[in-house]
Amino acid sequence: MSEQTDTELADHRYAGKVAAVTGVASGMGRCIALRLAAEGATVFGMDVDADGLDEVAAEVADTAAAGGSMRTRAIDISDPAECHAAIAQCVAQCGRLDVLGNIAAVSWMKHAVDVTTEDWRKMFAVNVDGTFFMCQAALPHIIAGEGSIINIASNAAFMGSAYLVPYCATKGAVVQMTRALATEFVKEPIRINAIAPGGTDTPMNRDYQLAENTDYNLLKRSMAFRPLDKPEHVAALFAFLASAEAANIHGAIINADSGMTAT
């Protein structure tokens, strides 16, 4: 029997599978959608950016050599009703749901004393509410298909970062939400995990605006010794973690932060 490369083994991991992914218009979400489609998945891509969704759908059509495809829905995941409607549309159009990827998030830097009530609630509505209500809507279908849920957390969930108090709080909530869901559904044929990246070269990070009068000595505590990661690396980890090759991984938070939380 000839040896097979990792790429060859992975080529058809998602043939016949359906993956609903949020935040697909750019960054990690875009790379995850492209990776899953390249491995044969039908991707139901969601984002608030309708034009960005169309662009990624065109990329999928051009590159999904393994037979993958993409359907889209423009959605504001801070609205619970929209989350449920989107999952219902995914199942109605695609016939099943095997993977849910909660990638969409917002972030910005502000001094804690300058954070408004609107700032706080907006970040929790997208990063926490959106993740939970997507999970709630998808769970019956994921269980039926013996599938997988992967939430994107952050190393900010494990280390205090100046000027990022709301963001750290939301990603800490995503970590605990993931663990609690994994515990509640540990007897079901389903896997629920999270990936906690560090700094990643995405549009959101490239466009980051520093807080006024930033103290750079405080920021240094949150800076990695290695360059920003590539979103393609997160996509590769996601594709493994959601696949049958990771069958014994449930309730895990996988740190992918170039050693930030190890030092």
Side-chain angles (χ1 to χ4, degrees):
M1 180 177 177
S2 61
E3 292 185 3
Q4 291 176 288
T5 66
D6 290 342
T7 301
E8 288 170 338
L9 287 169
D11 272 350
H12 302 289
R13 283 188 296 194
Y14 292 96
K17 303 292 186 182
V18 175
V21 184
T22 68
V24 160
S26 65
M28 293 181 198
R30 168 185 168 274
C31 289
I32 288 167
L34 291 171
R35 177 63 185 251
L36 296 182
E39 294 193 28
T42 296
V43 177
F44 187 85
M46 296 168 277
D47 203 288
V48 71
D49 179 0
D51 291 338
L53 278 176
D54 290 342
E55 291 174 7
V56 177
E59 284 188 83
V60 168
D62 288 340
T63 61
S69 62
M70 182 170 158
R71 298 172 183 262
T72 64
R73 178 182 174 116
I75 176 178
D76 178 355
I77 64 167
S78 66
D79 182 347
E82 272 289 284
C83 295
H84 281 267
I87 294 299
Q89 179 183 340
C90 172
V91 175
Q93 290 184 346
C94 304
R96 58 186 295 157
L97 180 57
D98 302 282
V99 177
L100 171 65
N102 284 306
I103 320 302
V106 294
S107 180
W108 52 80
M109 278 191 171
K110 279 193 177 183
H111 292 270
V113 294
D114 294 329
V115 173
T116 66
T117 302
E118 182 181 0
D119 290 336
W120 181 268
R121 289 180 177 164
K122 175 64 175 178
M123 197 169 290
F124 268 83
V126 175
N127 297 3
V128 181
D129 294 5
T131 297
F132 173 74
F133 288 108
M134 278 290 174
C135 288
Q136 185 183 62
L139 274 163
H141 307 290
I142 298 286
I143 291 170
E146 300 187 7
S148 176
I149 293 175
I150 299 178
N151 301 321
I152 295 295
S154 168
N155 64 352
F158 304 102
M159 53 192 295
S161 296
Y163 317 119
L164 289 172
V165 172
Y167 184 73
C168 290
T170 62
K171 290 304 184 176
V174 170
V175 165
Q176 287 302 91
M177 184 195 309
T178 301
R179 289 170 171 160
L181 285 169
T183 301
E184 182 168 340
F185 293 94
V186 71
K187 293 184 177 181
E188 299 290 347
I190 181 176
R191 295 184 304 105
I192 304 172
N193 296 290
I195 298 171
T200 308
D201 187 12
T202 64
M204 183 173 76
N205 283 329
R206 288 196 294 270
D207 296 339
Y208 235 91
Q209 299 295 313
L210 297 181
E212 188 177 357
N213 299 319
T214 291
D215 183 339
Y216 289 93
N217 288 322
L218 296 180
L219 283 187
K220 286 179 182 178
R221 301 181 69 250
S222 303
M223 291 181 179
F225 292 101
R226 299 183 180 185
L228 288 176
D229 197 9
K230 296 180 180 180
E232 289 84 357
H233 295 161
V234 178
L237 177 57
F238 185 105
F240 163 73
L241 193 57
S243 76
E245 294 176 87
N248 66 332
I249 303 177
H250 177 67
I253 314 298
I254 308 296
N255 289 79
D257 63 358
S258 297
M260 279 295 295
T261 46
T263 58

